[in-house]
Amino acid sequence: MLAVLSKRYEARPGGYIRVLKAGFRYGDATPMAIIEFVDRDESARGQDSGPVDGAEAEAAEAAPAPKAKKKAAA
């Protein structure tokens, strides 16, 4: 992937990404943003990039699912 990106941006002097504000997350009001490459590959739109490294994928699969918190009865 690095080889693809390095060739795509080799002539560009800077400004490789765009940050778009995406509002606030429901529940805790955390500000969210979308980060994208400015000259991205349009044919890849909507596709998941998947895990970058095999070790990361194995760690994600091995991690237990988070447990839901129970609400206290009032």
Side-chain angles (χ1 to χ4, degrees), residues 24-41:
F24 297 91
R25 185 167 54 196
Y26 179 75
D28 62 357
T30 299
M32 297 190 324
I34 297 170
I35 301 171
E36 65 182 8
F37 286 105
V38 291
D39 294 329
R40 68 179 200 265
D41 181 9

Side-chain angles (χ1 to χ4, degrees), residues 49-62:
S49 62
V52 176
D53 185 273
E56 290 178 15
E58 290 175 11
E61 291 174 4

